[in-house]
Structure formats: structure tokens, C-alpha cells
Amino acid sequence: MSKLFEKNLASFSLRSEKSFGRKYKEDPPKLRTEFQRDRERIIHTTAFRRLEYKTQVFVNHEGDMYRTRLTHTIEVAQIARAAARALQINEDLTEAISLSHDLGHTPFGHAGQDILNECMKNFGGFEHNIQSLRIVDKLENVYPSFPGLNLSFETREGILKKCNKTHAKKLGDVAMRFLKKEQGSLEAQLTNVCDQIAYNNHDIQDGIRAKKISLEQLSTVSIFKNQMNLALKEYPKLSKSKIVNETVRRIINLLVGDLITNSKKNIEKYNIKSPNDVRICEKEVICFSNEMKKENMNLKRFLHKNLYKHPDVKKMTDKATIVIRDLFNAYSQDIDLLPKPFLKHNMLKIKENEAERVICDYIAGMTDRFALKEHKKLY
Ligand code: MG
């Protein structure tokens, strides 16, 4: 079946039938490819459902119109799939990696991750990317014959987009490329860039909607200004919300178009013929042209300075820091505050002196609203 479904893929694409396989042996799926099976397992996890109530930049209860981690994830998957098809690389694998790329995020976005990492500094630290892998490998607990989701090697390797050497040594084969200084697959590289395209652009829209940044401010960023002017030239009487929408639409189109064209050029330039050529290539193959890299970087810098460091956003992140630190301290002082079934499931780890990791997993899995509710209950 996978031969039929993957017959249009280029020679440098990963293929289900050549997968390095799953940790626990399973019969091949009858009506879909291995990577489709991965994608479908990811969608049915509790971690995936909880993305709906996790912050991207704005807290979920601030309004129903803002992105959440779930809508962000769907946008990444949409952009990445379209680009994967244009590049003739594996769309199912790209989608599986995209849908799982943010599973490991804590409540309250990056602020949550930073404080949880600080709480865990003497116990191995916390990194959302490694947590995503931990969720699909170990924490999801639904199948009778294996822990986690037993995903194929290529999906797991794609989820792990960065990793330091200490962690890589502990994680084994899935992290080997970080020790060997090899590249991720084209599907993994693509997801990574599409993640950036998605969040930069939706943060513009959400930032304007929340009145934290203005059109005037954004007009200092050349890519925004140019695309807005083109939109206004074609539609001079556009309302403000449609100007934003049309400009963002054009920027995404421009970035994705540049990404596909430039990546195709790189495939030629580096003489990429097989997945192994990608792996041993000195440079990343999927990337913007130099000109677009600069434009994109300017946009990123703008958002960093004007949106992520905006006093109102900072107020939210300060609150997040307090909530997470308090929760960590409360559970550390009395581990019996954790729910009974969770405690029972993790008893062995707690006995083996891994109580902090168990607490960390519990907090990282929380949604924003659950963390706030739990904090109110305990303090
Ligand atoms: Mg993301």
C-alpha cells in the first residue's frame, strides 16, 4: 500500500517502506502508510487535545479569536504539507512531525518552559522539544502492548529538532545526528521553517487584534510595508482588518514561495539524490534565500522587541512564572498532592528518586486554565 501512496515522491524523500521502524515490532498497516499511522496516533493523544487550552502568546481566556497551540499546530501542518507536496517529499511524515512539534509545551508558553527549566536545574532540566519526544515515547499511556505511541524512527527523529550533547547521549539513536553533526530529514527541516512562518505571521495578526502593536509600527518592517503597499495598490479602500489579513496572506505566500524555490536550488546545488545525501550534507537544505532570511529576521526582531516584550504580555509571563514555581514547590513538599492514579502510575519512578521528573511531567502537561485553577486551590 505504501508503494502506491508514495509513488510520486522524489528520490530524496523518506519513505515508509524504508523506515528504520518502530521500537516495538508491529504488523504493517493494511490501508495506510507507516507515517499515516504515526499521524493518526498523534491526533488521538490527550496531549494533542490539551493544546487547545495552552497559550501561544496570549492566554487562552483572553479571547476566543486568538491562536492557541492547537490552532498554531494546525497552521504549521497546513503550510508544511503544501510545501512538502511542492517539493515532492513525504507529506504524511511532514504532517506527523508538524502535529507533534509542540506537544511538550508547558502552560503559558515560553515563560512556562523557562521557569520549569529553572525548577529542574538540579534534576536534568526541562526543554519542551525533548518533552514532546518524551510524551510520544513514554508518557502517553493508552496502548496495551507498548508505552507511548511506538512511533516510527523518522517521526521521532523529526520531533527532536534540537538537543545538546549531554541529552543526546542519554537519548541514544534518535539523537545520534546531534553527536555526528548530521542534518535532519528534509521533512523535519521543512516543519521547522514552517513553524517560524506560522508563528511570526499569526503573532502579527493576534498582536494587532490585541492592540499591542499597530499598523504604523509594523510599517517600519520592510516585508510588511512592501506587501501592505501591494495590497493597497490593488484594493485602495480596504478596511483595517482586511489590510492586515491580506498583508499577512501575501507575506506567507512570499515566504513559502521563496522557501520552495530556494530549497529546490539547494537540492541541485548540493547534489541531493537520497535521504542519506540530506543527512550528510554540510548545510541545511530547506531554507530561505539570503535576501528573505534578512527580511524574516527583521520581522522576528520587531515582534521580539514590540510584542513579546510588551508590558502587558510581560505581566502575563510574570504571573505564569509565579504560578509554575508555586506549583512545583507545593508538589515537591508534598508529593501526595498529585492525583492518586497519576501517583500510582509513577510509583516506581518516585521510589527511584525521580520524584521531581514526575512533578515536572505533571506540570508540563497542564493547560493554562488547569494550572491557574490548581494554583488557586493550593494557595
Ligand atoms: Mg510551534
Side-chain angles (χ1 to χ4, degrees):
M1 192 53 74
S2 59
K3 263 205 178 93
L4 175 69
F5 286 163
E6 295 180 343
K7 73 176 191 305
N8 293 327
L9 297 180
S11 61
F12 39 78
S13 167
L14 286 175
R15 283 159 198 272
S16 278
E17 56 172 353
K18 291 195 175 157
S19 168
F20 286 142
R22 304 173 191 274
K23 190 170 173 197
Y24 302 88
K25 206 164 165 32
E26 293 183 61
D27 291 336
K30 289 194 179 77
L31 299 167
R32 49 188 177 159
T33 70
E34 296 286 358
F35 299 142
Q36 276 179 280
R37 172 141 81 179
D38 284 355
R39 175 191 63 200
E40 279 131 30
R41 283 189 182 169
I42 291 157
I43 290 178
H44 289 280
T45 57
T46 58
F48 187 75
R49 290 196 289 277
R50 274 176 279 155
L51 291 174
E52 186 175 1
Y53 298 103
K54 290 200 180 200
T55 297
Q56 192 64 30
V57 173
F58 299 96
V59 188
N60 177 273
H61 58 253
E62 283 178 346
D64 293 345
M65 307 291 261
Y66 298 114
R67 264 73 170 189
T68 64
R69 287 236 171 250
L70 181 63
T71 59
H72 160 69
T73 296
I74 295 170
E75 289 180 14
V76 174
Q78 175 266 314
I79 297 171
R81 275 182 53 201
R85 196 178 291 192
L87 288 164
Q88 286 183 280
I89 59 176
N90 204 308
E91 207 176 312
D92 296 320
L93 174 61
T94 305
E95 193 179 9
I97 299 170
S98 301
L99 293 176
S100 46
H101 87 282
D102 269 355
L103 289 180
H105 264 290
T106 60
F108 315 116
H110 282 276
Q113 151 164 306
D114 293 345
I115 183 64
L116 203 52
N117 185 33
E118 201 186 299
C119 294
M120 288 295 290
K121 73 171 184 281
N122 296 325
F123 312 102
F126 176 86
E127 212 278 311
H128 73 86
N129 204 226
I130 294 177
Q131 190 71 4
S132 298
L133 187 65
R134 191 170 158 78
I135 286 170
V136 300
D137 278 356
K138 293 182 177 156
L139 300 183
E140 281 291 328
N141 176 32
V142 277
Y143 293 94
S145 40
F146 46 77
L149 308 180
N150 198 30
L151 299 181
S152 50
F153 177 85
E154 293 73 13
T155 303
R156 295 172 59 235
E157 199 192 33
I159 293 173
L160 195 64
K161 81 175 170 204
K162 56 182 182 188
C163 179
N164 65 29
K165 281 191 178 163
T166 319
H167 283 130
K169 279 177 198 154
K170 276 189 210 148
L171 287 168
D173 57 354
V174 75
M176 202 48 81
R177 71 184 173 89
F178 297 99
L179 297 174
K180 290 186 174 172
K181 295 203 170 128
E182 291 176 345
Q183 307 293 343
S185 65
L186 295 181
E187 289 80 359
Q189 293 181 31
L190 179 64
T191 303
N192 198 3
V193 186
C194 293
D195 184 22
Q196 295 172 38
I197 296 177
Y199 66 66
N200 282 340
N201 283 286
H202 64 52
D203 288 350
I204 293 177
Q205 268 182 329
D206 284 0
I208 288 186
R209 183 181 293 281
K211 299 193 167 65
K212 309 296 182 223
I213 48 176
S214 66
L215 271 184
E216 292 66 37
Q217 277 177 303
L218 270 161
S219 303
T220 61
V221 183
S222 61
I223 192 170
F224 190 92
K225 187 178 149 195
N226 294 340
Q227 294 309 308
M228 183 172 72
N229 287 343
L230 286 172
L232 284 171
K233 204 169 159 192
E234 203 172 333
Y235 307 100
K237 289 181 182 159
L238 272 189
S239 66
K240 187 183 156 189
S241 70
K242 281 195 180 169
I243 293 175
V244 178
N245 206 56
E246 180 61 16
T247 307
V248 165
R249 190 188 71 77
R250 282 167 188 252
I251 296 175
I252 294 177
N253 244 331
L254 185 72
L255 290 171
V256 175
D258 179 90
L259 182 68
I260 293 169
T261 313
N262 193 60
S263 302
K264 279 185 177 169
K265 271 189 201 157
N266 285 344
I267 288 168
E268 288 263 301
K269 187 165 95 187
Y270 303 135
N271 199 19
I272 303 288
K273 302 269 192 252
S274 69
N276 196 51
D277 291 340
V278 177
R279 190 171 277 280
I280 59 174
C281 188
E282 275 189 16
K283 293 194 172 155
E284 287 200 325
V285 178
I286 307 286
C287 59
F288 297 122
S289 63
N290 286 337
E291 189 194 340
M292 203 56 75
K293 244 179 232 166
K294 265 186 225 152
E295 296 270 16
N296 194 48
M297 191 47 83
N298 285 340
L299 177 59
K300 246 181 155 152
R301 273 199 207 111
F302 170 86
L303 288 170
H304 201 81
K305 185 172 157 223
N306 297 287
L307 182 62
Y308 310 142
K309 295 212 162 149
H310 189 285
D312 294 349
V313 175
K314 209 182 156 285
K315 222 185 277 168
M316 189 278 282
T317 57
D318 289 347
K319 187 171 178 196
T321 304
I322 295 169
V323 168
I324 298 225
R325 189 188 288 127
D326 283 353
L327 288 176
F328 190 89
N329 288 342
Y331 299 135
S332 298
Q333 277 159 28
D334 182 6
I335 197 146
D336 288 330
L337 289 172
L338 294 176
K340 293 252 150 32
F342 186 79
L343 267 179
K344 201 175 150 200
H345 180 68
N346 288 290
M347 207 34 94
L348 198 67
K349 275 188 251 172
I350 294 168
K351 278 186 184 152
E352 286 170 351
N353 285 331
E354 285 191 63
E356 285 78 12
R357 182 59 60 191
V358 172
I359 293 168
C360 176
D361 285 339
Y362 186 63
I363 295 176
M366 290 179 178
T367 60
D368 298 1
R369 60 181 189 175
F370 184 82
L372 290 170
K373 212 169 86 189
E374 192 69 2
H375 187 259
K376 212 172 178 182
K377 204 171 89 189
L378 294 175
Y379 286 88

